[in-house]
Amino acid sequence: MYTQEVEATLEQYRNAVNNARSEEEMQGLYSQILGKNGWIRKLMGNIKNFEGDEKKEYGQVVNTLKEQLSALITQRQQELVEKSILDTEEQGTEVDLAMPVEFREKGMMHPLSIIEQSIIKTFTGLGFTVVTGPEMETDYYNFQALNIPEDHPARDMQDTFWLSNGRLLRTHTSPCQVRAMEKLGAPLRIIAPGRVFRNETSDASHENTFHQLEGLVIDENISIANLIYVMKTLLSEVFEKNVKVRLRPGYFPFVEPGFELDLNCLICDGAGCQTCKQSGWIELVPCGMVHRNVLTMGGIDPDKYSGFAFGLGLSRLVMMKYNIPDVRMINRGDIRELEPFKTII
Amino acid sequence: MLLSLNWLDKYVPLKDLDPNDVMHKLTLHTAEIEEVIEKGAELDQVLVAEIVEVNSMKPGYHFLTISTGNASHKVICTDTSLEAGDKVPYAPLNTVFGGKTTATKTIDTYTSEGFLLSEQEMDISTNESVVFHIDDVRAKPGMKITELYPFLKDTLLKLDNKSVTHRPDLWGIYGFARELSAIYKRELKPLDTELKLKTMVTPAPVITLEKNSGCNRYQGIIIKNIINAAAPLEIRTLLHYSGYATLNLIVDLANYVMVETGQPLHTFDYDQIGNVIIVDRAKEGVKVKTLDGETADVPANSVLIQNKDRQPIAVAGVIGGDESKIVSSTAAVLLESANFDATSIRTTANSMKRRTEASNRFEKSLTPALTDTGLKRFCTMLGRMQEQVEFSEITDVDVSNTKQPEISFKLDFARKFSGVELEHGTISDILNRLGFEHTYKNETYNVKVPWYRSPKDISTPPDLMEEIARIYGYDNIVPLAPAFKMAPVLPNTTSETEYHIRRVMSYVFGYVELRTYAWHDNRWLSQINYQPQNTVRLVNPRSVFHDQMKDTLVPALLELAEFNLRHHEKAGMYELSSIFKQTDVAVEKKSFAGLLFQKGGDLPNMFFSAKEAIGYTIKGLKNAEIEFRDGYEGEPRPWINKTSSVSVYVQNNFIGYISPLSARLGKKLFNDEPMVVFELDVDAIRDIQPVKLSYLAPPQFPSVKLEFNIVAAEKEKYNRVLQVVNGFSNPYIKRTQFKEFYRDEKRLPGQTSYLFMVEIGSDEKTLDSNEINQFKDQFIEHIKTEGLQLR
């Protein structure tokens, strides 16, 4: 059955398949060998020249040939696919992919908004509710409800912008304390970020318009030790490291006792440098235990509840965090100065 | 206030301590000390010299030979009053003084080897510029002047006055001595007020306090036979170092006692006023010539000190009158040590713009008991200095009726409030150190507030807790996490709305967020022809140009656009802030305004880009549909383009507008560069009803998208065409969408073609061609009936 001619053709095809260089070439060979008009079909066509057992034997031989060649072709095809993948990877793309791309034009939130938002996130994570209050405030909420009656010397500490309608521009975010007590009652955990105003001459470190964030916690058995803990936790979050803080006496009529909270200088780690005026500490957060009179004004029973309040200088924090040398940058509106904040989302 | 350690050391020993430690401890336990200032260190180089020979050089100049014991030197001196035998301070050559190194100085043929110093040059007083005569038997040539007068070297602690606003007892050196004694556990020496007064003068002062005079207590004494020379050098130096001018013994001593005890004193020239004092409120129109020589209007109702003829002789607690002021020849005084109503003093001082050392103290509510200390301290010091001085009896009119509070609290309260397991012994020890007498029974303290502590400062248990905790040391309190009950965090829709707007505008649409001031700049308003109505006015603005609160954020943005255009080709900017209005009521609202500029930009493109930003921002927040209606009908704004603006509506509520900059302002200020302005009401955006998201099943049967080019006259505008399209109702319509517009002056003169896509389908079947064609016919028929054409 295996005529010499068949042997030779088989050998020829085997070589052709093994030497094929491309998938196209393989497709051609497939048609020639296994296709509709291919060699195997032709061989099979010759079966009519046989009879009986020979016919059966011939059929088996051709089928074996078909299987062998089919396996060979499949194997070679896989090899070629593999080779072509390797070739493609080796060759790479036509373009130099290291070339820069231009990002779509991005804008920026004001650095103050960025910090404000990040602090809101920290506090809401700790279970604080965000409240807001008006910038055009009444004497009552800005002073009287905060235990600062008329002619109290503490009013001099806060040069006030007065308005023709009898109101004033709030000098601190503390009016939000009593507003929140009235609205939400005790227990209470709130923060109140906002813009505040002082009628003073501005320079690199003083502004007549700046931003604060008020915090207030009222509950049963709130202690000075709790205040220290919360402030330390908060500032560690803000500065993304474990900070050291200290309390010292401070005076604000709406707290008793009142404290100044100092932060261990982050520049020199407390060794003393220009930023901390060689003291190793930076005065950062005025705070204190809420005054009984203020609780009473807010409709909260001072015998049942106690609490603490603090005022974080947001503008100051923005300056510290982003190395802004002049506070007036914040309200200046010069896009060139805001451009570095493009990358922060 | 400057606190002299020499002065403090008179009452509590501090000399062995590092001044920085004193600063640190006071800051942590009492009040903020800002700085340690060394005084007189350079004076270590100054020697006592004796003048040996005086030679005249030329008019106004003497050439002196001086001796410093084992050496002699030549010096040129312009003080020609010096004589041989005088002892003077001498700064030798090559000493560093006042930041300069002394060098030889030659005038004509005379060479000076060093200098003789005045008090001013030594910075120990502001007195005179003549060379200081050392009039002291202990002075030996060659001796260091600081050895002779150790008090010339001092250390000052600079106190932050704000930190003792609530502590009237700390407005004097002695108050700080009490604190330091408690902090360092060192014994406190008493003030010397014990002089037995020789009461030979008659009559005593006759003092009348009228009803509601504003005077709580008035003590007066007449003192005669005073030799009003210069005060002793130590007193002058202490006053000078503490920041006071020195004048003569009587005035200096009154200041000295005020700085030491905190009690302001006033001395009247007895020969000018006599022995009668009447304290009363000022009527309208009172004028007083004050001791600084100026004539001042005294505000009505101020506390006034009057003589027997009811003529004003001093504005109480603020400043004395000129006529009765102390001069060098004064030999007899009426000394006032009084206590005035804090609020009255503060009001008067503020409205007279005379904040004096006395008024600063009175307005802190000094305790009336302090007048006695002040008066007796003055008399004791003066009497010990000058034996010949004679005194009258003290007249004391006291209507103060103050009572020191007694406070009780439980040990458990102290523990809960501080968060520290304080021991009874610790609390008791601290109270003792601070001078608080107390008893302890059944775990309850009963505490008496000492006479020198203000009841305004200490009247409740938390006030006492401050005393205990600050001396215990805040540093010794271990931080403790509070035990909160779990409670939901309430949403703040205003703050969330603002944050959403910021994020989308900045990070999706590339706008820059700006922050500006809360008031308009009137100069810029007139540049842009904007005359706001009903603004809220500032009573005390930073300048006359800044007396109106913003009623819109746009003007400041226009001003910043003008600035930023110098550095940028294009930019989008916005601000989110409060605006204010005064109608029947005062209104404060949150506004969101912005603008977009691009040099040489395509205005319609810019406009549509702003529209996209605003639409996307609002839709993204509440999922509500935004409607842009033609025109703007709000209050007049000179920057709005009258013909091309659109108003933004959501749920039929006006939210704001978008407009190209008006042609007038564009031409005047921006060189006709294209600009788009928008202004939206944040409160209105916040209050949009949210539209719920909800599942919608994909169509069961395929739909068909049909496109129609609808042609309308240009004056018709898009909104009219949209109205017509939406006016066609048919159950097969799934949605309609505007795709684009097209204009061609040749083929469609005066017209605009709008391409709309209408998607139709059914939930029950696939539409066949008949049904589709029928829909098309009906739709076209509708368009035509409405007077529009199809292309």
Side-chain angles (χ1 to χ4, degrees), chain B residues 606-620:
Chain B
M606 288 165 61
F607 191 87
F608 288 129
S609 125
K611 233 172 119 173
E612 185 199 359
I614 286 158
Y616 186 95
T617 304
I618 297 175
K619 171 99 177 162

Side-chain angles (χ1 to χ4, degrees), chain A residues 267-326:
Chain A
I267 312 268
C268 64
D269 259 337
C273 67
Q274 217 176 355
T275 307
C276 60
K277 294 184 201 143
Q278 307 305 329
S279 73
W281 296 94
I282 290 175
E283 185 177 315
L284 193 63
V285 192
C287 51
M289 304 299 287
V290 182
H291 199 287
R292 288 174 63 87
N293 293 355
V294 178
L295 289 172
T296 309
M297 294 275 197
I300 289 173
D301 179 1
D303 290 322
K304 185 173 180 201
Y305 291 101
S306 57
F308 62 81
F310 57 88
L312 200 60
L314 277 185
S315 303
R316 181 96 191 286
L317 216 56
V318 170
M319 291 173 74
M320 282 172 74
K321 194 133 176 165
Y322 297 125
N323 301 319
I324 296 170
D326 188 333

Side-chain angles (χ1 to χ4, degrees), chain B residues 99-144:
Chain B
K100 283 183 235 158
T101 307
T102 55
T104 55
K105 185 178 169 187
T106 304
I107 298 177
D108 300 336
T109 55
Y110 301 94
T111 298
S112 187
E113 306 158 337
F115 299 90
L116 304 187
L117 301 166
S118 69
E119 283 187 41
Q120 213 167 40
E121 283 163 324
M122 289 194 287
D123 189 26
I124 58 174
S125 94
T126 48
N127 278 9
E128 305 174 27
S129 53
V130 294
V131 170
F132 174 50
H133 281 229
I134 300 173
D135 188 13
D136 195 310
V137 288
R138 299 168 302 153
K140 299 276 173 293
M143 189 181 195
K144 282 184 182 175

